[in-house]
Amino acid sequence: MVDFTLWDIFRNLLLAARWTVLLSLIAFIGGGLVGLALLIARIAKLRFADRLVAGYVQLFQGTPLLMQLFLAYFGLALLGWDVSAWLAAGLALTLYTSAFLAEIWRGCVAAIPRGQWEASQSLALSFGEQLRYVILPQAVRIAIPPTVGFLVQVIKGTALASVIGFMELTKVGKTIANATLNPFLVFTCVALMYFLLCYPVSRYAKSLERKLHVAH
Amino acid sequence: MSPTDSPVVEITALRKSYGANEVLKGIDLRVRSGEVIAIIGKSGSGKSTLLRCINGLEVFQSGSLTVDGKPLLHGNPAAMRELRQHVGMIFQSFNLFPHLTAGQNIMLAPTLVKKKVGAAAEVQARKLLERVGLAEKFCAFADQLSGGQQQRVAIARALAMEPAVLLCDEITSALDPELVGEVLRVVESLAEEGMTLLMVTHEMSFARKVSDRVIFMHQGRVHEIGTPAELFGNPQTAELKQFLSSLHD
């Protein structure tokens, strides 16, 4: 049996952490774009959009992320598509993130007083101009802290992608634990990695919150 | 200043309801250019709703409304955008955009809607701020201004679109008493310069002083209409008499 030094464990976990970071970024950027589209469809009062988006949000908020990953991985395979763990994990996490962000952001837009809509409407601004120049700049201020806070949930959520064989931090940790027969040490290191990823993000969210509070 | 005969706002048989509750029960009104009209009445009489119908913030169910000859067409964004360029509105709660400076608040719509270039828009904004007595506040944000100053910036913002008619919806009701005067003075100067004004107000002495006609609204109808001298000096209906006497209590 191979002897693992603590450095070996750390080195391998660090390499695996890259995929955790990458998967988080995909989820966040993809989810952010889809979430923004859902948000705009909803506030533009497009036909049926309100109900459809509300249903979509309920669906992803009301089922475990683990099931969403399984369904993306095995469900798409059933339909005859050859899905890699990458694609399935990226897709499931993107949809999951988009649902939560659409809901978080909807609350932020709803927090902008109706008078802002009415004043900009009275000035003959189009719907797009109202959003772009009046509503979203104010909503973004409110949205940044909860959005960054949610990023932490997404980073931790990527751990679940290990169950469909995605080689990220948790999956690699499991593999090393099996090889070293020292799961306590290895998973302590894994937990530490997650903490090192998440803690700065939480701190950043807190400092943003303070800064935006002071600004206006 | 003599009002000419071409109507700036023409309202015919306008009816508006919220569900089963009819709040405007057939309004007919012609506002001539340069005319100053005060709308008075109890809360719930429909006066604010009427004002908000004129720039399409409220949708009405029947009747017609034109501004500068252009009909108000709900559900036609291009027509609404065109109409709103002729109608300015000032709100009770100021509604300045808090993330923009006073100057940017004023320049936003002219640059976006009228495609005015930056320099011309800035010259205009500075001129308007000077007109409302806030020349030095170009770079101030709303939360750095008093309520009266915010409302005066809001007036300048509405004027920047060069509207044919200005709607004032209880614009001094949210102000501390000592700030009311500075806003009313600006409105009065607009009236003197010949701006067409439609204002919902609780400031009776102001309405009496500046308006050409006063409208008393009651239960969704124009109950009485006439010159300030007629309405305040010789009210014809029991409702108006009661309303006026309630103000003195």
Side-chain angles (χ1 to χ4, degrees):
Chain A
M1 126 149 223
V2 198
D3 236 3
F4 279 81
T5 63
L6 192 60
W7 168 241
D8 284 327
I9 296 173
F10 240 88
R11 194 169 50 91
N12 281 294
L13 290 180
L14 271 176
L15 290 174
R18 289 179 305 173
W19 305 122
T20 293
V21 171
L22 190 61
L23 188 57
S24 303
L25 283 177
I26 290 173
F28 222 67
I29 293 167
L33 292 175
V34 177
L36 188 65
L38 293 174
L39 173 77
I40 289 174
R42 209 167 180 182
I43 48 187
K45 299 194 172 70
L46 296 181
R47 270 173 91 88
F48 311 120
D50 197 51
R51 278 193 183 172
L52 279 175
V53 175
Y56 177 89
V57 169
Q58 286 305 320
L59 191 69
F60 283 92
Q61 286 191 341
T63 55
L65 176 57
L66 189 58
M67 295 307 127
Q68 294 162 23
L69 282 159
F70 277 147
L71 289 176
Y73 190 56
F74 299 116
L76 291 180
L78 267 183
L79 293 175
W81 288 330
D82 184 22
V83 223
S84 66
W86 258 113
L87 183 65
L91 182 69
L93 276 160
T94 293
L95 297 181
Y96 167 83
T97 306
S98 70
F100 275 85
L101 287 182
E103 189 64 8
I104 291 173
W105 292 345
R106 188 180 70 93
C108 297
V109 169
I112 305 302
R114 213 168 59 131
Q116 295 289 309
W117 286 99
E118 292 183 348
S120 47
Q121 207 175 344
S122 303
L123 289 166
L125 266 59
S126 67
F127 176 73
E129 291 166 343
Q130 286 182 289
L131 272 187
R132 163 78 181 76
Y133 296 98
V134 177
I135 304 301
L136 291 186
Q138 297 182 60
V140 163
R141 267 178 203 282
I142 316 174
I144 286 175
T147 303
V148 178
F150 180 67
L151 176 58
V152 173
Q153 301 296 321
V154 173
I155 294 172
K156 291 188 290 184
T158 58
L160 290 172
S162 60
V163 300
I164 55 170
F166 186 89
M167 292 301 278
E168 44 62 74
L169 198 47
T170 304
K171 177 75 178 169
V172 170
K174 232 180 269 177
T175 314
I176 300 174
N178 288 339
T180 59
L181 301 177
N182 195 345
F184 185 75
L185 175 69
V186 174
F187 284 121
T188 304
C189 293
V190 170
L192 188 65
M193 291 278 180
Y194 277 111
F195 187 77
L196 290 178
L197 285 176
C198 294
Y199 183 67
V201 177
S202 314
R203 280 300 296 266
Y204 183 56
K206 277 271 177 305
S207 84
L208 273 177
E209 200 163 352
R210 253 198 313 274
K211 218 183 287 177
L212 293 174
H213 235 68
V214 174
H216 273 283
Chain B
M1 156 198 83
S2 67
T4 59
D5 265 353
S6 64
V8 178
V9 178
E10 187 160 22
I11 302 172
T12 314
L14 185 143
R15 286 172 175 270
K16 151 95 192 157
S17 43
Y18 295 107
N21 180 24
E22 196 170 40
V23 289
L24 295 177
K25 299 168 181 167
I27 305 284
D28 293 286
L29 180 66
R30 287 164 65 95
V31 183
R32 293 182 297 271
S33 177
E35 207 175 12
V36 177
I37 294 185
I39 306 173
I40 62 172
K42 284 192 289 195
S43 62
S45 59
K47 48 195 200 308
S48 276
T49 308
L50 174 61
L51 214 57
R52 291 163 59 85
C53 279
I54 299 174
N55 73 347
L57 284 180
E58 300 285 349
V59 178
F60 51 86
Q61 280 76 26
S62 72
S64 72
L65 198 161
T66 63
V67 176
D68 261 359
K70 291 172 190 63
L72 189 148
L73 302 166
H74 293 292
N76 179 344
M80 290 311 293
R81 188 172 165 99
E82 175 64 29
L83 179 126
R84 284 185 177 126
Q85 292 182 50
H86 297 257
V87 186
M89 180 142 187
I90 307 162
F91 300 85
Q92 184 178 344
S93 51
F94 328 136
N95 297 343
L96 288 188
F97 307 134
H99 60 300
L100 302 178
T101 62
Q104 290 169 330
N105 262 277
I106 299 170
M107 295 187 297
L108 184 68
T111 43
L112 289 176
V113 182
K114 297 213 187 246
K115 312 291 177 207
K116 220 170 215 161
V117 291
E122 187 178 331
V123 169
Q124 184 200 28
R126 289 192 184 277
K127 207 178 283 174
L128 285 167
L129 275 177
E130 199 182 324
R131 182 170 174 186
V132 297
L134 294 170
E136 76 288 5
K137 298 293 186 188
F138 189 86
C139 294
F141 286 95
D143 59 4
Q144 298 164 328
L145 300 172
S146 73
Q149 291 173 329
Q150 287 188 53
Q151 194 61 296
R152 286 188 279 153
V153 173
I155 294 172
R157 180 174 72 175
L159 292 176
M161 292 298 279
E162 292 156 3
V165 55
L166 201 55
L167 312 174
C168 305
D169 191 6
E170 300 190 27
I171 62 170
T172 56
S173 298
L175 292 175
D176 292 334
E178 76 272 19
L179 302 176
V180 169
E182 61 187 68
V183 172
L184 293 186
R185 270 193 297 281
V186 171
V187 177
E188 194 177 349
S189 73
L190 292 177
E192 282 162 6
E193 288 164 31
M195 171 64 83
T196 311
L197 285 168
L198 259 166
M199 49 191 187
V200 170
T201 185
H202 294 297
E203 302 285 336
M204 292 306 151
S205 54
F206 181 71
R208 191 168 195 159
K209 190 163 104 186
V210 302
S211 49
D212 299 311
R213 279 195 292 169
V214 177
I215 293 174
F216 171 63
M217 284 194 66
H218 184 70
Q219 291 182 350
R221 288 196 175 84
V222 174
H223 206 71
E224 267 191 62
I225 184 165
T227 65
E230 286 165 5
L231 254 80
F232 292 115
N234 186 20
Q236 297 298 307
T237 61
E239 288 80 5
L240 178 55
K241 279 177 192 160
Q242 197 198 356
F243 175 73
L244 291 174
S245 70
S246 74
L247 297 173
H248 299 303
D249 293 341

